[in-house]
Amino acid sequence: MGFETDVKRILEYLPVTNQKPDNELAENTKDFGSKDKYRQTVMFTAIMTPIIERLARTYLRRPASVYIGAIGKPTERVEQVIIMCSENEKRNKLLEILERGIEPPIIIFVNQKKAVDVLAKGLSKKGYNPCTLHGGKGQESRDLALAQLKKGEKDILVATDVAGRGIDIKDVSMVLNYDMAKTIQDYTHRIGRTGRAGKAGKAVTFLTKEDSATFYELKEVILESPVSVCPPELINHPDAQHKPGTVVTKRNKTAILCA
């Protein structure tokens, strides 16, 4: 996220004379009661991308890696529901879902900052009690929104992908993708806000023709879920048959599919 240069600069200033050796001697931990002890570096990350893995290998000595869940995949406890619709149908479908009754808190994701405020204002007029979170808000406003949601003062969080990573709100009953995420990785992070700590969750996604670049990967993710059903409209959609950018050969003719 742009912090790599700063992280490297900090690590360069840390003492290296007491680093653990990168061999079997590292297991012989020195007496922590004495002045002579090894420096210990511990790293936590929600995702281990190749870039982060290279950074970790550079500074860690004989690290032990602990993984929780399947790497890069949604938890099996989240039921994924896909609703195929047009852009103009989204608002009514959202209200239909909310009118059936919700168990707060829930999170609604949209892709644009302006859309966050517009949607939250509309929900307020309908009698709901939303708060908002996006990149245009200062840290104080962000902290306030999260605090209100956690205390039960607000029942809905309308947010951009800023809320998709690095936050933990207990007992989120549902994540609703009003706008489908731009990438399947962001989608996975979004729906990971529910179904946490051993509990079940639900993720509803409004899918339009403008989201066709994600159809194939989204279909594959849902088909792998033991608690989700992929709708025929997505399974059979032409854009869900091949991953964008792959080469498909048919009847001795080659075509390149572009995203």
Side-chain angles (χ1 to χ4, degrees):
M1 295 179 69
F3 302 127
E4 183 177 0
T5 301
D6 299 310
V7 170
K8 285 183 175 180
R9 180 174 297 176
I10 292 170
L11 290 170
E12 286 170 1
Y13 277 91
L14 292 178
V16 295
T17 54
N18 63 341
Q19 278 188 328
K20 277 189 176 183
D22 197 9
N23 53 44
E24 289 75 10
L25 295 176
E27 306 306 325
N28 300 322
T29 304
K30 297 185 180 181
D31 182 7
F32 282 93
S34 70
K35 295 181 180 179
D36 189 16
K37 49 182 173 287
Y38 289 131
R39 159 186 156 192
Q40 185 174 24
T41 305
V42 184
M43 177 180 180
F44 298 91
T45 178
I47 54 172
M48 183 63 82
T49 62
I51 295 176
I52 297 177
E53 190 172 356
R54 285 196 297 271
L55 182 66
R57 284 200 304 265
T58 302
Y59 293 99
L60 302 186
R61 295 290 183 271
R62 298 172 62 82
S65 300
V66 179
Y67 297 97
I68 300 175
I71 302 173
K73 295 183 179 180
T75 174
E76 293 184 348
R77 295 183 298 273
V78 176
E79 178 190 4
Q80 302 172 63
V81 178
I82 301 298
I83 299 177
M84 305 288 287
C85 60
S86 68
E87 190 69 32
N88 293 333
E89 293 175 320
K90 285 183 179 181
R91 186 178 180 84
N92 288 336
K93 290 189 177 295
L94 171 61
L95 294 176
E96 287 175 9
I97 292 172
L98 297 180
E99 286 168 2
R100 295 174 198 159
I102 59 171
E103 181 182 345
I106 74 168
I107 302 177
I108 300 176
F109 282 101
V110 296
N111 291 340
Q112 302 295 329
K113 291 184 289 186
K114 184 177 180 181
V116 169
D117 297 324
V118 172
L119 183 57
K121 186 176 181 180
L123 291 175
S124 295
K125 291 181 178 179
K126 291 292 182 179
Y128 297 99
N129 197 17
C131 55
T132 59
L133 187 66
H134 57 68
K137 291 185 173 291
Q139 191 61 47
E140 186 175 340
S141 297
R142 298 185 190 190
D143 291 341
L144 176 61
L146 292 175
Q148 291 174 325
L149 197 70
K150 292 178 179 179
K151 291 178 182 178
E153 298 172 1
K154 302 289 185 179
D155 51 12
I156 299 172
L157 174 65
V158 185
T160 60
D161 280 323
V162 168
R165 310 185 189 199
I167 66 169
D168 181 34
I169 302 171
K170 291 183 178 179
D171 302 327
V172 173
S173 64
M174 180 173 67
V175 166
L176 195 148
N177 291 307
Y178 190 85
D179 295 328
M180 172 59 187
K182 296 299 183 182
T183 67
I184 203 67
Q185 289 80 15
D186 288 337
Y187 169 82
T188 300
H189 282 290
R190 285 182 179 186
I191 69 174
R193 300 310 98 195
T194 186
R196 299 169 73 84
K199 298 183 179 180
K202 188 172 185 178
V204 179
T205 300
F206 294 158
L207 209 60
T208 72
K209 62 182 181 180
E210 285 76 20
D211 304 312
S212 60
T214 63
F215 281 8
Y216 174 80
E217 291 181 297
L218 181 60
K219 179 195 71 174
E220 295 296 303
V221 167
I222 296 172
L223 290 176
E224 290 180 1
S225 169
V227 296
S228 307
V229 177
C230 190
E233 301 96 316
L234 178 58
I235 290 180
N236 300 322
H237 197 284
D239 292 323
Q241 306 312 306
H242 306 284
K243 188 175 182 179
T246 57
V247 177
V248 180
T249 303
K250 186 177 181 181
R251 294 181 183 178
N252 298 323
K253 293 183 179 180
T254 302
I256 300 179
L257 305 180
C258 300

